[in-house]
């Protein structure tokens, strides 16, 4: 990854600039709708739990739909997926606006329509994110991701502030009408700059369930992706307390109205935007772990200040630093995830990051709202701050890093595939045996090297993997793994990366001179 490229370098590319601008408008509309729904819920019910559940209704669909949406983005027409999602969201948001204006929007109606709108966002997000990634070269991808994060967090700052003004001056209904116009803007941009079609492939198309399992398997057996997802869950779950309880902090702790709540949200978003301007250089200078560790402690301090300090100006200042910490951490996790996933699974990896970030956010919002209703606002925020600070300890078992080029570049298989009769794609399970003949003095080193293949085989599709020694021939070792179907095995062969081949080359270097590695394929009959 380039360490010197400007954060604005992707914006010099016209397609990216158009997608980025429309995305920023879309984010603003969503932020306005969320703020209006949350504040309207507080006005209608006075319940901190129901106000927190608005955040859950917004982000829970990501938890439920992000991974299936990622599979669809990796395997189907992304343009059609995005356009249909946006069209549905326009209809839903327009209905909600009309019901609010008519006075028919009670707590149940608000939560239902906000939830359905969130489902539309969840279905189109992985496809839109991969479209953004395709619009720039790989060496500009970190800057592009940060630019999108700036737009998203600027929307968090500007959207609630605008919504607060509109809410106070002309009522909640007009906030929802503006949100509809923002969705229309993104729909028009997608028609003008559609995503590239997926490369043509002779392999059987992945199905939804199989593709979902492939994405989960990849995340489970990729050390880089797993570490980033675990850290994202911990950070998002603890930090959701501040975001979910911000309406309560504004109304009860600081005595603010709708506009004041908009300023609180604006401070979080403004700090995030400011952090986006220098986060890339800071990551290069101090490393990923220091960025995340410092940011966790800063965000924990922000929650303590929001819990204990009754002065609005002090809370505003703390939220600026909290927003910067949130941006620094989440953009680091997102960049590390997208740079560590090869193209065949990138949308699913992005979806899993979204699932972990917003799923933990949605569940955390509900949990912290319930704790607040039982134990009080101050105790809840201090407890969440302690959890946030404790997340720093995850650095040792789950270290962070970005993927290298050879770790995401797919390679050609070692051997051509020779079978007497091509099985049906759904036939299986398929057992693959790779035979090696190894000198006695090299066997310990060989076993250590071949064990590294386990993660690669299982990450790309194997459900079982072992290495066996031949009792009748001490020099003969067999690596065996099982794949669910013939189609899954064909996909597995195509997913090996250049980094995987480097490891396999070290394994094959132990083979006796003059001997060849023998690969055999077996398909289950009974």
């Amino acid at each position: 990854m380039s360490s010197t490229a400007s954060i604005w370098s992707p914006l010099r590319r016209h397609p990216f600039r158009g997608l980025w601008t429309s995305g920023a408008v879309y984010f603003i509309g969503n932020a306005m709708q969320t703020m209006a729904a949350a504040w309207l819920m507080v006005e209608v019910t006075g319940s901190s739990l129901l106000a927190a559940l608005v955040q859950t209704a917004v982000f829970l669909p990501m938890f439920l739909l992000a991974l299936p949406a990622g599979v669809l983005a990796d395997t189907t027409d992304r343009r059609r997926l995005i356009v249909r999602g946006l069209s549905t969201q326009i209809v839903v948001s327009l209905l909600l606006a009309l019901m609010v204006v008519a006075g028919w929007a009670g707590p149940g109606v608000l939560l239902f329509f906000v939830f359905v709108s969130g489902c539309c966002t969840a279905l189109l997000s992985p496809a839109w994110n991969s479209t953004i990634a395709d619009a720039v070269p790989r060496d500009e991808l970190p800057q592009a991701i940060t630019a999108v994060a700036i737009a998203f967090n600027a929307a968090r700052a500007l959207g609630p502030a605008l919504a607060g003004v509109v809410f106070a001056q002309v009522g909640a209904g007009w906030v929802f009408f503006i949100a509809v116009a923002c969705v229309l803007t993104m729909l028009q941009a997608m028609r003008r700059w559609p995503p590239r079609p997926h490369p043509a492939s002779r392999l059987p198309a992945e199905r939804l369930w199989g593709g979902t399992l492939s994405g989960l398997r990849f995340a489970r057996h990729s050390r880089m992706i797993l570490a980033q997802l675990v850290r994202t869950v911990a950070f998002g779950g603890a930090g959701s307390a501040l975001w979910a309880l911000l309406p309560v902090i504004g109304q009860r702790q600081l005595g603010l109205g709708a506009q004041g709540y908009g300023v609180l949200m604006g401070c979080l978003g403004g700090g995030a935007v400011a952090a986006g301007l220098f986060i890339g250089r800071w990551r290069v200078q101090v490393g990923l772990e220091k960025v995340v560790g410092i940011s966790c402690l800063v965000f924990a301090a922000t929650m303590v200040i929001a819990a204990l300090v009754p002065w609005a100006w002090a809370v505003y200042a703390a939220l600026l630093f909290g927003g910067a910490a949130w941006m620094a951490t989440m953009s680091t996790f997102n960049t590390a995830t997208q740079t560590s996933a090869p193209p065949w699974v990138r949308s699913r990896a992005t979806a899993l990051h979204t699932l972990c970030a917003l799923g933990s956010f949605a569940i955390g919002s509900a949990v912290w709202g319930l704790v607040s209703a039982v134990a009080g606002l101050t105790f809840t925020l201090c407890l969440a701050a302690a959890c946030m600070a404790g997340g720093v300890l995850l650095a040792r078992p789950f270290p962070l890093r970005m993927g290298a080029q050879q770790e995401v570049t797919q390679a050609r298989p070692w051997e051509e595939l020779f079978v007497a009769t091509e099985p049906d794609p759904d036939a299986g399970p398929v057992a693959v045996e790779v035979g090696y003949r190894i000198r006695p003095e090299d066997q310990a080193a060989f076993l250590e090297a071949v064990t590294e293949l386990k993660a690669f085989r299982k990450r790309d599709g194997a459900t079982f993997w072992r290495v066996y020694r031949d009792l009748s021939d001490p020099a003969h070792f067999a690596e065996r793994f099982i794949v669910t179907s013939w189609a899954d095995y064909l996909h597995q062969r195509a997913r090996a990366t250049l980094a995987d081949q480097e490891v396999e080359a070290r394994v094959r270097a132990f083979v006796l001179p003059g001997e060849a590695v023998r690969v055999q394929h077996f398909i289950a009959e009974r």
Side-chain angles (χ1 to χ4, degrees):
M1 295 297 133
S2 172
S3 62
T4 58
S6 165
I7 191 64
W8 305 112
S9 60
L11 290 169
R12 298 189 185 101
R13 302 180 183 276
H14 186 59
F16 177 83
R17 185 168 66 250
L19 292 169
W20 180 86
T21 303
S22 67
V25 173
Y26 178 76
F27 296 150
I28 289 171
N30 280 355
M32 291 181 70
Q33 178 171 283
T34 301
M35 181 273 175
W39 196 260
L40 187 60
M41 186 69 78
V42 171
E43 286 192 348
V44 170
T45 68
S47 169
S48 60
L49 175 58
L50 288 175
L53 285 178
V54 171
Q55 293 286 346
T56 301
V58 171
F59 296 119
L60 184 59
M62 293 291 183
F63 184 81
L64 300 175
L65 301 175
L67 186 52
V71 176
L72 293 174
D74 279 329
T75 60
T76 63
D77 186 338
R78 289 180 292 177
R79 179 186 179 279
R80 183 181 303 169
L81 178 63
I82 295 171
V83 168
R84 288 181 176 178
L86 291 172
S87 300
T88 304
Q89 188 172 4
I90 289 169
V91 173
V92 170
S93 298
L94 185 59
L95 285 174
L96 177 58
L98 293 172
M99 295 187 76
V100 169
V101 170
W104 298 341
V109 169
L110 278 174
L111 291 176
F112 174 76
F113 278 96
V114 168
F115 177 80
V116 176
S117 180
C119 289
C120 296
T121 301
L123 286 171
L124 65 88
S125 289
W128 187 81
N129 284 326
S130 63
T131 301
I132 286 288
D134 288 345
V136 297
R138 177 176 166 80
D139 62 353
E140 292 184 3
L141 184 56
Q143 289 78 26
I145 292 171
T146 303
V148 171
I150 289 175
F152 179 76
N153 286 284
R156 282 192 165 187
L158 184 59
L162 290 175
V165 172
V166 175
F167 194 108
Q169 298 300 320
V170 296
W174 285 100
V175 178
F176 295 105
F177 282 122
I178 293 172
V180 173
C182 293
V183 181
L184 281 167
T185 300
M186 188 171 178
L187 179 61
Q188 178 60 29
M190 190 50 55
R191 287 173 172 163
R192 185 171 181 182
W193 297 287
R196 293 200 306 259
H198 292 301
S201 174
R202 299 175 61 186
L203 299 179
E206 287 188 277
R207 296 174 180 173
L208 182 60
W209 179 244
T212 300
L213 293 179
S214 294
L216 292 171
R217 190 182 297 115
F218 179 88
R220 170 64 183 85
H221 295 287
S222 170
R223 294 186 183 93
M224 292 184 293
I225 298 295
L226 180 63
Q228 292 144 18
L229 297 182
V230 170
R231 302 284 292 276
T232 298
V233 168
F235 184 82
S240 64
L242 183 63
W243 295 96
L245 296 173
L246 206 58
V248 185
I249 295 170
Q251 187 185 57
R252 298 182 185 174
Q253 185 106 334
L254 304 177
L256 302 175
Q259 288 179 289
Y261 170 58
V263 175
L264 291 175
M265 290 291 290
C267 288
L268 278 170
V273 171
L277 299 177
F278 65 83
I279 183 59
R281 189 179 300 275
W282 189 30
R283 276 198 295 254
V284 172
Q285 291 175 345
V286 305
L288 304 187
E289 289 295 357
K290 285 188 178 180
V291 169
V292 172
I294 292 171
S295 298
C296 285
L297 296 178
V298 169
F299 200 86
T302 300
M303 288 194 282
V304 172
I305 292 172
L308 302 177
V309 176
W311 305 303
W313 63 267
V315 176
Y316 290 153
L319 291 177
L320 286 170
F321 286 96
W326 185 272
M327 166 68 171
T329 304
M330 281 302 191
S331 69
T332 296
F333 291 152
N334 191 13
T335 302
T337 298
Q338 292 205 44
T339 57
S340 302
W344 70 267
V345 76
R346 183 170 295 143
S347 291
R348 276 167 278 191
T350 304
L352 283 168
H353 169 77
T354 303
L355 185 154
C356 290
L358 299 186
S360 64
F361 195 100
I363 295 173
S365 295
V367 170
W368 295 121
L370 182 60
V371 173
S372 175
V374 174
L377 180 66
T378 300
F379 174 82
T380 301
L381 289 173
C382 290
L383 177 61
C387 294
M388 175 66 73
V392 176
L393 300 177
L394 292 172
R396 184 176 295 274
F398 299 103
L400 298 172
R401 74 178 181 90
M402 294 189 186
Q405 178 74 42
Q406 66 268 24
E407 292 174 302
V408 298
T409 302
Q410 290 168 253
R412 293 180 61 86
W414 281 95
E415 298 94 2
E416 293 295 330
L417 183 60
F418 294 104
V419 292
T421 303
E422 182 82 11
D424 183 82
D426 293 328
V430 175
V432 182
E433 179 177 305
V434 186
Y436 310 89
R437 292 184 57 78
I438 310 297
R439 287 187 295 265
E441 62 271 21
D442 291 334
Q443 290 178 1
F446 164 78
L447 289 172
E448 183 176 349
V450 78
T451 302
E452 294 186 48
L453 296 178
K454 177 180 180 179
F456 305 149
R457 306 292 196 208
K458 300 193 80 170
R459 180 199 67 194
D460 292 343
T463 58
F464 173 86
W465 182 95
R466 292 295 293 268
V467 174
Y468 299 87
R469 177 170 56 85
D470 190 341
L471 295 178
S472 64
D473 182 359
H476 180 219
F477 288 82
E479 175 199 1
R480 293 176 180 169
F481 56 91
I482 294 176
V483 186
T484 304
S485 68
W486 183 249
D488 287 341
Y489 174 62
L490 295 178
H491 283 291
Q492 185 202 38
R493 280 172 51 84
R495 290 168 180 167
T497 66
L498 294 177
D500 300 343
Q501 282 203 343
E502 290 176 5
V503 174
E504 194 161 355
R506 293 200 301 271
V507 172
R508 290 175 176 242
F510 290 105
V511 174
L512 286 167
E515 296 282 351
V517 173
R518 184 182 182 190
V519 182
Q520 294 178 282
H521 305 88
F522 304 87
I523 195 154
E525 292 291 343
R526 293 290 187 272

